[in-house]
Amino acid sequence: NAGVTQTPKFQVLKTGQSMTLQCAQDMNHNSMYWYRQDPGMGLRLIYYSASEGTTDKGEVPNGYNVSRLNKREFSLRLESAAPSQTSVYFCASSRQKDYGYTFGSGTRLTVV
Amino acid sequence: QQPVQSPQAVILREGEDAVINCSSSKALYSVHWYRQKHGEAPVFLMILLKGGEQKGHEKISASFNEKKQQSSLYLTASQLSYSGTYFCGTALKETSGSRLTFGEGTQLTVNP
């Protein structure tokens, strides 16, 4: 099994450009999450989807939008990238709330 | 709302023991523990629910004091492979455990 797959792995954007980070899981998990990780800091929740058809804001949702396309896929969109969004983005999934998270390998995004 | 981890960093010699603590100011539904090696994704170690003790790996265990809103991760007879950053993730009762907030991490280094 591939687990959680994120694309792309690396991306450089110019300020103001838009892009979509893709995430797909093949474990039939119900819940999916987007986190960002900045140097020396923990993971901060951007958005999450407890189940197919629902999405909710996390701690740092400003500047981002999400789409739960189906049970497998959960995408994160930056409409107008800013240097403050330079970070490593992790997608994660879990069967449900009493289970551990499986993380993707991350997308390293640099906004110049 | 972010849980507080201590210590921030610890250096061990192979075979020594370590304890990492995680505390929250809010009532907890569950506590997760993850390990992240440099440049990689976090990996799930264990989840603790309702004051129980959960054993993950053979020499890694954890406890959860629901009344004190604290959890501790115990690493005994440490191995070189235990090196990495350990994160606790807390799910709150007020959100029915629907999402995790992570601490800033504890950097563990095991030397020969």
Side-chain angles (χ1 to χ4, degrees):
Chain A
N1 286 341
V4 179
T5 302
Q6 291 184 236
T7 56
K9 293 191 184 304
F10 301 93
Q11 183 71 48
V12 178
L13 290 179
K14 293 182 178 179
T15 297
Q17 286 185 319
S18 63
M19 79 163 295
T20 300
L21 281 63
Q22 307 286 352
C23 175
Q25 52 90 10
D26 62 1
M27 297 171 286
N28 200 35
H29 284 176
N30 291 308
S31 303
M32 298 185 74
Y33 313 85
W34 277 105
Y35 285 88
R36 61 176 287 175
Q37 186 174 37
D38 300 301
M41 297 182 68
L43 299 121
R44 291 184 291 169
L45 182 64
I46 306 171
Y47 271 92
Y48 69 103
S49 171
S51 61
E52 185 180 358
T54 68
T55 60
D56 285 287
K57 295 179 180 179
E59 305 165 58
V60 289
N62 291 344
Y64 305 95
N65 284 301
V66 290
S67 295
R68 182 75 183 265
L69 304 171
N70 47 56
K71 191 171 185 179
R72 291 186 63 248
E73 298 172 289
F74 189 39
S75 62
L76 178 71
R77 182 161 178 84
L78 288 71
E79 291 292 350
S80 179
S84 60
Q85 294 178 305
T86 293
S87 189
V88 179
Y89 291 84
F90 286 103
C91 176
S93 70
S94 67
R95 185 183 300 181
Q96 56 191 47
K97 63 183 179 181
D98 291 351
Y99 289 79
Y101 290 13
T102 301
F103 284 84
S105 58
T107 295
R108 297 182 182 278
L109 175 67
T110 302
V111 183
V112 298
Chain B
Q1 187 169 342
Q2 182 180 33
V4 177
Q5 286 186 234
S6 63
Q8 289 186 316
V10 59
I11 299 175
L12 301 173
R13 288 197 180 275
E14 201 171 4
E16 292 181 336
D17 302 339
V19 180
I20 300 172
N21 300 302
C22 175
S23 65
S24 173
S25 59
K26 295 198 171 188
L28 297 178
Y29 176 89
S30 66
V31 178
H32 293 216
W33 286 96
Y34 293 79
R35 177 170 61 208
Q36 184 178 32
K37 294 185 179 286
H38 184 69
E40 300 181 5
V43 174
F44 173 69
L45 294 176
M46 64 187 72
I47 181 173
L48 299 111
L49 299 164
K50 295 182 180 179
E53 179 173 324
Q54 180 80 26
K55 193 164 186 178
H57 297 245
E58 190 177 314
K59 296 178 181 176
I60 298 178
S61 62
S63 63
F64 175 29
N65 187 323
E66 191 179 356
K67 287 185 179 179
K68 292 186 176 180
Q69 295 146 201
Q70 294 175 345
S71 178
S72 295
L73 185 72
Y74 307 95
L75 300 101
T76 58
S78 59
Q79 305 170 11
L80 296 176
S81 61
Y82 286 5
S83 292
T85 302
Y86 289 77
F87 293 99
C88 69
T90 54
L92 302 182
K93 283 189 176 179
E94 65 188 38
T95 60
S96 301
S98 61
R99 59 186 185 267
L100 290 183
T101 301
F102 287 89
E104 292 190 353
T106 296
Q107 189 169 347
L108 177 74
T109 303
V110 181
N111 293 321

